[in-house]
Amino acid sequence: MNLWAKSKSKNYRNDYTANGKCVTMRGMDKKLKILTYGCQMNVADSERMAGLLSTIGYTLTENLEDADLILINTCCVRGTAEDKVIGQIGRFKTLKRQKPSLILGITGCMAQKEGAELIKRAPHIDFVLGTGQSFEVAKVVESIERERNHFVDTSNVSGDIFTGEVFPIRGGQVSTFVPIMYGCNNFCTYCIVPYVRGRERSRKPEEIFAEVRQAVAEGFKEITLLGQNVNSYSGGMTFAELLTAVDKIDGLERLRFMTSHPKDLSDELIAAIADGRSICEHIHLPVQYGSDKILKRMNRVYTVEKYLRLAEKIRAAVPNVSITTDLIVGFPGETDEEFSETLNFLRTVKFDAAFTFIYSKRSGTPAAKFEDQIDDETKHRRLNELMAVQNEISLAKNLELVDKTVEVLVEGASKTDEKIYTGRTRSNKLVLFEHGTEKIGDIVPVKINQAQTWLVKGEVVDK
Ligand code: SAH
Ligand code: SF4
Ligand code: F3S
């Protein structure tokens, strides 16, 4: 269905301001607040839903009290993500009582997973929309404005994906996301994503190029192409070809992508990164674990040896590349021996940074039924040990930057001190520096003089 055409036929019209933000020119000015949990894909979806809702008169507000419509775009990858959402839904009960006209909608992965159960538990929710139906959000909200009925649709998890006809309303000023595919076919045994995001669906290259061009015209300098496993992109060209084509778009300063699965990161992609202009020297390559027996039971279909060879190959082909990863501790059946293998693996591969998670049992996934689930105390102990080992490595990696001059894309003032600005290197390291004359979106040379585990500090030097 072409919602854009439909909304036009209703005489709503979007115009673009100088900074490219979409504003509604006709229709009642209603306020929308979106709370986004989870990964970058959810951030991108929220921006698309904001775009769709602008066509029926909604503009974004920061203030919850002003909102006529609140969307909670949810995540369920771990129990902790769900707990946050449940807490948030509970807090809106009072707000809804004070303002009965308020519409509260739940979208995203937890909406897909729980469906009508959410409304049963919290009847102040007006609607629940699954991931495959997010593009229908404007239609659903219009019907609720008219009829004030509860509405639930999670029927088609692999449903139609957003098309180029939707203009996302992007947050930020410098860096933004462009989804290239939705869903996942990998079924890692611990993971809920394939069940709540459906089968892999790739967007057409022309649609992706058009969206990147539009984001660049809006002033964005850095684009991250998104997919659960970008290497299995199948929109009529390989992912490496897509990346190389996007790299040619005028005005784009930096191009990133995530996430890559080690099982099919191709030589062609490594060459594309090495040869690229704006393609940044950073690969997020989740390994999940450092022992073959567990990798097998996770259904990751590569071995530790294969991963190490891949990392070596990337480092040989791409100078100054950074490799980051995700790791899960406490997977069912994990022994002390396997865990120490993982610590040794970390010491060998030397990631620039790692996001470490405690295994969370997700009902409906195969691993939830595995025997020998690990107790909480052991999980926490192992997480702390793992983080201590990785933190030392991350610090050592960051120390290598001291006295070097790096290119930093300026993102703006830090949260705590407006005289201190932050930015990132091409290798995705966070850099803090004293603000001089540089503007947000500039690329400036910074000489690094101090390193910490998660960031480096330096000063802007002459070009
Ligand atoms: N498609 C991406 C990201 C998936 S979710 C990928 O494959 O890398 C992001 C991360 O969450 C995963 O890499 C994994 O480390 C973690 N994760 C997924 N399911 C989990 C679970 N049940 N418990 C703990 N961490 C989990
Ligand atoms: Fe989950 Fe594995 Fe798919 Fe990533 S590749 S989303 S971890 S099933
Ligand atoms: Fe969470 Fe869904 Fe992303 S489960 S991690 S928001 S794909």
Side-chain angles (χ1 to χ4, degrees), residues 210-355:
E211 201 182 313
V212 171
R213 274 192 221 101
Q214 192 208 332
V216 169
E218 283 180 32
F220 289 95
K221 306 281 185 224
E222 177 177 88
I223 303 276
T224 305
L225 303 180
L226 290 183
Q228 296 301 340
N229 175 18
V230 288
N231 302 294
S232 54
Y233 176 76
S234 61
M237 53 172 75
T238 64
F239 176 61
E241 287 165 346
L242 181 81
L243 198 65
T244 304
V246 174
D247 186 36
K248 298 206 168 75
I249 292 177
D250 273 350
L252 178 61
E253 301 276 0
R254 285 184 176 185
L255 178 56
R256 302 184 183 279
F257 56 93
M258 66 189 305
T259 303
S260 297
H261 194 303
K263 78 175 161 61
D264 47 18
L265 190 138
S266 64
D267 291 354
E268 188 199 7
L269 178 59
I270 297 173
I273 300 165
D275 297 343
R277 170 191 63 88
S278 64
I279 306 171
C280 290
E281 295 75 26
H282 169 228
I283 301 189
H284 186 60
L285 192 63
V287 66
Q288 311 299 357
Y289 209 67
S291 138
D292 288 345
K293 250 165 78 186
I294 293 232
L295 282 176
K296 189 150 193 240
R297 290 199 293 130
M298 285 178 159
N299 191 30
R300 290 294 288 185
V301 299
Y302 51 82
T303 59
V304 167
E305 191 50 40
K306 196 176 164 223
Y307 188 98
L308 285 171
R309 280 205 305 273
L310 181 59
E312 274 167 19
K313 197 154 68 175
I314 295 167
R315 284 177 173 148
V318 187
N320 299 321
V321 70
S322 72
I323 304 181
T324 56
T325 206
D326 292 347
L327 288 150
I328 298 176
V329 293
F331 187 75
E334 178 191 61
T335 62
D336 280 336
E337 202 188 328
E338 286 158 345
F339 181 64
S340 61
E341 264 180 64
T342 298
L343 298 182
N344 284 336
F345 168 77
L346 287 185
R347 292 184 186 109
T348 309
V349 69
K350 293 193 175 63
F351 290 112
D352 289 84
F355 299 92

Side-chain angles (χ1 to χ4, degrees), residues 189-190 293-294 297-298 328-335 338 359-361 366-374 379 382:
T189 54
Y190 50 82
K293 250 165 78 186
I294 293 232
R297 290 199 293 130
M298 285 178 159
I328 298 176
V329 293
F331 187 75
E334 178 191 61
T335 62
E338 286 158 345
Y359 168 72
S360 170
K361 196 167 156 180
K369 294 201 201 76
F370 288 179
E371 281 170 18
D372 304 322
Q373 298 282 333
I374 307 294
K379 281 179 177 170
R382 286 181 180 157

Side-chain angles (χ1 to χ4, degrees), residues 76-107:
C76 60
V77 76
R78 285 170 287 276
T80 44
E82 289 191 314
D83 294 344
K84 279 189 214 156
V85 169
I86 289 168
Q88 192 58 263
I89 293 173
R91 280 193 282 281
F92 287 144
K93 207 169 172 178
T94 329
L95 198 59
K96 188 81 195 254
R97 209 177 294 132
Q98 288 160 356
K99 186 175 179 180
S101 64
L102 173 69
I103 299 175
L104 178 61
I106 314 294
T107 59

